[in-house]
Structures are given as structure tokens and as C-alpha cells.
Amino acid sequence: MSVCELKEKLKALEKEALDALALADSSEAVEQIRLSYLGAKGALTAILRGLSQLSKEQRPEIGQLANAVKELITLELNKTKETILYKELEKRLGHEKIDVTLPGTGHKLGHIHPLTQITDLVIHICYGMGFEVAEGPEIETEYYNFDALNTPADHPARDEQDTFYTNLGPTSLLRSQTSTVQIRVMEKRKPPLRIISPGRVYRNEEINARKYPLFHQVEGLLIDRHVTFGQLKGTLNEFIRRLFGKPLKTRFRPDFFPFTEPSAELDAQCPFCMGSGCRTCGQRGWLELLGCGMVDPFVLAGVGIDSDEWSGFAFGVGIERLAMLKFGINDIRYFFMSDLRFLEQF
Ligand code: DAH
């Protein structure tokens, strides 16, 4: 190519590139233009590479011109790129605008499980009546769960169908009642005693609306001098009044528990119909609430407490039962489903 032709070619390239840049409307388009002129395989790059083949006289003139064209195109490229980036940013800001009036995502606050709420309420009430909280292990031995509670080896509750045995030892089991804590406390401490013990208990039972193999109880134990059944009645009547927020009639039906003598089942007047009969109480007007009785002297003797000097009463309440009554829940399984639609109601 002659010098003239080369010059014309360079001029043409310059015009072509500037025209293309004037039309470019995206940063991709600008990049494409840069590649086709200044890239490794670009048209201008090719000419600059070819400079070495020119004669000494031709080289400076063409070289100067080629570099000037390169500079000009580079300058225009950068300007166009900047303008386009700015426009693109403007556009993005336009449609990514934040509407501060939209409701936020929000974070849900958790809250206390209904069973824990009732447990806390029971603790609160009993604490106000002078009872302190004591705890015992959930993995127990036959001794604490049965023997020390005067439950002989042939008692149906000791049948493996009711109790979960573990393989941790020949007599190791999951406690089936919180009464175990009575023994643990009396072994360690001297009377007078006034404790309650909330916690999990386990029974090998078929699951249905009223039964679940895991549930919760609160045990109560009072040991003092000259304790009477009348004091047991007074304490439980007051407990029920505080629990339901109003005084309810109660009746103590004779019952049997191996570790109390006499033993009773406490029924309370149904707080929903006040005794006239409704669905919750099955038209009976009464609700079975808990088991109780005077601590059997045999149990006291077992832990070395002199029953001539000391006597006491005990009671055991099912927490699920209380929660079902207080909240009007008709199926125990709801407590263990972790379903927020249920839990959020309480
Ligand atoms: N432990 C008994 C049960 O699980 C409930 C019970 C009854 C506890 C009478 C007591 C009591 O302390 O005196 O069925």
C-alpha cells in the first residue's frame, strides 16, 4: 500500500470508529468497538503492526498519524463509555428505587410454649404458697420410680408395657412419674419440706387424642409436723382457685396410689359450665384434675424419716391436662407437633 493509500485508510478507520461510537448505546457495544479497532485483532492494531514493513522515510509520517488516530479513538471510547455507564446507572436507579412506605420484612418473635406457660403458672402459684422447685433425673432406676414409692414388683405399673426400660443397667428406666423426686428430696434433706417438681415423664402407651408417650407432671410434697388431710384440701383448693382465677367446687374421690394412704383423685367443678354440664366435662359437670394423698408412713420409713414425728401430703398433676383445660385444647398431640399455626394461638 502506498503512503497515500495508508493515510486514507487511517482516516477512513477513524471516521468509521467515531461514527460507530456515536451510535453505541450500551457498554457491550462500546467494548465491541474497542475490540474491532484496538483489540489484538483490531484493524488499527494491524496497521500499527505493519509499520515495521514500511521504509524509513514512510515510517514516521504514517506512525504519527496512526498513533494520533489511536489516541483519538481511545479518547472517544472512554468518553462514550463514561456517558453510557452514567446513563445505565441512572436507568437502574430509576427502577430500583426504594419505596420506604412498603411494609418491612419483619422478624417474628418467638414465644413461650403453652406447656411451659402452664408450668410457669403452676410454679408461680406454688411458690406463692411456700413451695420451692426441686428437680430430678429423667433416667431413673426401679428403686426411685417404684420400690421406694411402695410399688411392689408385681404391680401392673411395673409391667414393661407401661414403662420404658433402657439398656443402661438392669433396672434403668425412663421415669413414669415425677413422684421419684419425692424420694430424692427426702433422702437428701431433713423435714420440714415443701417442694414441687415439674418435669417430663414417659409411658409406653399408644398415641391418641388423650395419650402421648411423653408428657409432663408437677409433683408436690409437703412434710411437716401434724399435717392433716384438711391442709391438703385447703392447699389444693387454693391452688385451683389461683389456677383458674376463680373459686371452684372440688371433691376428693377415694382412689389408690401405692405411696399415699389415704389417696384421692381430685375433681373440680368444670370452669366452663360451672357444673351444669358441657362438652369439655362430657356433661358431667366435674373434671378430674390430679392425684393426691397423705404420704404413706412406709415411704417415710424408707428414707429414714420418723413417721411418729413427721407426716405429709403429696400430689401429682398432669401439665398437658391442665393446659388442655385452660386453653380449651382437645387433642394432646398438638403440643408436640411444633406447628406454628397451633402454637401461635397461645
Ligand atoms: N404419680 C401419680 C401418677 O403419675 C400421681 C400422683 C398421685 C402423685 C398421688 C402423687 C400422689 O404425689 O400423692 O399417676
Side-chain angles (χ1 to χ4, degrees), residues 78-182:
N78 288 341
K79 260 205 261 171
T80 316
K81 200 150 90 188
E82 211 171 293
T83 320
I84 285 173
L85 281 179
Y86 186 73
K87 274 194 197 139
E88 285 174 347
L89 181 68
E90 286 262 273
K91 207 165 129 196
R92 251 183 52 208
L93 288 177
H95 63 77
E96 284 179 7
K97 236 186 325 199
I98 296 169
D99 181 352
V100 292
T101 66
L102 281 175
T105 348
H107 294 280
K108 278 196 186 168
L109 279 185
H111 71 290
I112 309 221
H113 192 282
L115 290 178
T116 312
Q117 289 183 36
I118 294 293
T119 308
D120 288 348
L121 177 63
V122 169
I123 292 174
H124 178 79
I125 292 170
C126 294
Y127 192 72
M129 299 199 295
F131 290 80
E132 59 180 302
V133 173
E135 285 186 303
E138 288 172 32
I139 299 175
E140 268 293 6
T141 59
E142 280 183 339
Y143 176 75
Y144 290 101
N145 203 73
F146 296 125
D147 299 303
L149 288 162
N150 194 26
T151 309
D154 54 2
H155 195 281
R158 292 187 68 148
D159 194 323
E160 283 216 42
Q161 285 194 355
D162 298 325
T163 310
F164 287 114
Y165 280 82
T166 83
N167 54 14
L168 296 170
T171 74
S172 165
L173 48 79
L174 298 181
R175 69 176 179 192
S176 62
Q177 52 186 351
T178 46
S179 305
T180 52
V181 186
Q182 291 189 29

Side-chain angles (χ1 to χ4, degrees), residues 256-318:
F256 173 78
F257 296 102
F259 40 91
T260 42
E261 185 61 36
S263 304
E265 186 79 30
L266 171 86
D267 296 341
Q269 181 186 18
C270 173
F272 299 99
C273 61
M274 292 311 273
S276 59
C278 67
R279 269 177 58 191
T280 309
C281 60
Q283 308 306 328
R284 283 185 292 268
W286 294 96
L287 294 168
E288 269 179 36
L289 278 193
L290 53 88
C292 60
M294 303 307 289
V295 179
D296 194 310
F298 185 89
V299 173
L300 294 177
V303 290
I305 293 179
D306 180 0
S307 56
D308 287 334
E309 186 181 357
W310 303 100
S311 53
F313 63 70
F315 55 90
V317 202

